[in-house]
Amino acid sequence: MKRRTFLSAGAALAVAAVLPRSPRAQPAAGNALVSAKIGDRALPVIGLGTARRYADPAGEAELAALKATIARFLELGGQVIDTAPSYGRAEEVIGQLVQELGVRDRLFLATKVGVNSREEGLAEIDQSFARLRTKRIDLIAVHNLRDIDNQLAILRDLKAAGRIGAVGATTSSDRQYPAFEAMMRRQALDVIQVDYAMDNRGAAERILPLAQERGFAVMINLPFGRGRLFEATKDRPLPDWAREINATSWAQVFLKYIVSHPSRPIAVPGMAQARYVDDNLAAARPPLPDAALRRRMEQYVDAL
Ligand SMILES: NC(=O)c1ccc[n+]([C@@H]2O[C@H](COP(=O)([O-])OP(=O)(O)OC[C@H]3O[C@@H](n4cnc5c(N)ncnc54)[C@H](OP(=O)(O)O)[C@@H]3O)[C@@H](O)[C@H]2O)c1
């Protein structure tokens, strides 16, 4: 193993746990995906985000492309799908495609609740179960702190009743970080989800270390800054150091930076094309950058 790369013994064990189940997709041992735990589930560190591109598929061709994306995601060992009631028809689209593919038990379905009262929360969550066509949702997180105390109380009851697997909270705006940190100190959560990217590292200042201290699993939204990082690096060849982590695309560089954070996050890049799945899932394969290489990566992006 190169000096600038790492794969801890714990991660090596976790790798074994997330080999794809389809015999067709069985990778060589060295190709297994690095995983992180939510509760007692070991999950590959790259998931699939559904904001915008799953919101309103126009016609059969677009729906078929999304279905092919999810099928490829599963084939490569992907498990975590992140959605929300506020992403247009995304929950409904995921529910339909997962049912058609017959793969509910192979996925970790994460959604959110984002309303203003207990009554509205109960109604929105009921709707999520119906739209996702499932009896159990693996994670529901309170969206952007909205009505957080009431909604967490509902989610804890649902977890106790076995209807959801984990309880979380999300943000994607640094204006909310102070309130988010305060919430993290007073609430017990299974998961937090926050924005973090190579050029947007505010979450690493206090939120990610606090998640480690509190024992919360971490999910990362906006890992590409909605395409901002691609725009910043377009026309640039990959730096030499990308070879040290076997990154063959900018997407893999951006994602390997995220998932190598010591809080061992699961990133949920938005993916609505099968070719993005091939590209992005490769970022879940070792080697990952160590602390020294992560600093060089930051310096590179800061100088753009
Ligand atoms: N507060 C919250 O809870 C919150 C807020 C925001 C997002 N989220 C979650 O985080 C997820 C990710 O955010 P996002 O989808 O808005 O932004 P993102 O992941 O930063 O960027 C996604 C975009 O990057 C492009 N892309 C993806 N893979 C690529 C690849 N391999 N090569 C080149 N381009 C690639 C695609 O653009 P094109 O489609 O244009 O090609 C895609 O739409 C969301 O889907 C959602 O699940 C949560």
Side-chain angles (χ1 to χ4, degrees):
M1 188 181 295
K2 288 188 181 165
R3 187 170 55 84
R4 291 190 184 283
T5 60
F6 78 88
L7 178 64
S8 70
L13 284 176
V15 158
V18 291
L19 288 168
R21 281 201 238 158
S22 148
R24 204 150 68 85
Q26 205 70 258
N31 261 348
L33 306 179
V34 176
S35 72
K37 279 198 156 184
I38 294 184
D40 55 8
R41 281 189 68 174
L43 299 162
V45 290
I46 302 295
L48 182 153
T50 62
R52 299 175 298 118
R53 302 282 180 244
Y54 289 71
D56 187 23
E60 286 307 309
E62 267 191 39
L63 206 56
L66 297 180
K67 189 171 180 176
T69 304
I70 291 173
R72 186 63 182 153
F73 180 67
L74 276 152
E75 197 170 27
L76 292 182
Q79 292 187 46
V80 177
I81 294 186
D82 182 70
T83 189
S86 56
Y87 299 166
R89 293 176 49 228
E91 281 190 328
E92 198 183 316
V93 167
I94 293 297
Q96 178 187 333
L97 298 180
V98 167
Q99 187 173 67
E100 285 175 13
L101 290 163
V103 292
R104 171 64 192 96
D105 62 340
R106 291 171 58 190
L107 286 168
F108 182 96
L109 289 183
T111 192
K112 310 189 184 83
V113 59
V115 288
N116 293 324
S117 69
R118 181 173 172 84
E119 294 65 37
E120 287 176 15
L122 290 167
E124 187 170 69
I125 290 165
D126 267 357
Q127 181 186 264
S128 292
F129 278 100
R131 288 177 167 176
L132 289 168
R133 305 187 190 186
T134 186
K135 289 191 168 63
R136 183 179 154 93
I137 294 175
D138 298 299
L139 162 66
I140 300 185
V142 180
H143 209 160
N144 298 340
L145 292 178
R146 208 154 152 196
D147 192 34
I148 183 93
D149 293 344
N150 279 329
Q151 303 307 322
L152 283 179
I154 298 175
L155 295 178
R156 290 196 182 107
D157 287 349
L158 286 170
K159 184 179 169 187
R163 295 203 65 209
I164 70 174
V167 171
T170 80
T171 184
S172 57
S173 154
D174 47 10
R175 283 191 309 276
Q176 268 194 340
Y177 286 3
F180 200 79
E181 284 169 45
M183 180 279 300
M184 286 175 71
R185 290 183 198 282
R186 73 171 191 273
Q187 297 282 3
L189 301 169
D190 299 307
V191 187
I192 60 144
Q193 185 187 124
V194 63
D195 58 309
Y196 179 53
M198 262 180 91
D199 65 344
N200 168 30
R201 305 194 296 269
E205 286 169 20
R206 285 183 305 279
I207 290 184
L208 298 182
L210 184 56
Q212 287 178 272
E213 189 187 313
R214 301 278 289 137
F216 303 161
V218 174
M219 290 170 69
I220 298 298
N221 59 46
L222 303 177
F224 303 134
R226 287 203 184 96
R228 188 185 57 233
L229 277 166
F230 292 114
E231 188 57 32
T233 49
K234 75 167 188 262
D235 306 330
R236 283 179 181 259
L238 289 177
D240 285 346
W241 45 253
R243 276 203 295 274
E244 297 180 27
I245 49 172
N246 290 350
T248 57
S249 69
W250 278 112
Q252 291 166 28
V253 166
F254 304 146
L255 292 173
K256 283 193 171 214
Y257 175 79
I258 290 172
V259 301
S260 60
H261 186 275
S263 62
R264 182 47 67 82
I266 295 175
V268 289
M271 300 188 239
Q273 298 188 35
R275 70 187 170 95
Y276 287 166
V277 173
D278 280 78
D279 191 6
N280 297 347
L281 268 281
R285 299 200 178 100
L288 298 180
D290 68 5
L293 181 51
R294 282 173 55 81
R295 271 195 298 282
R296 284 171 69 197
M297 295 168 88
E298 291 164 4
Q299 285 160 4
Y300 182 91
V301 162
D302 290 349
L304 284 174

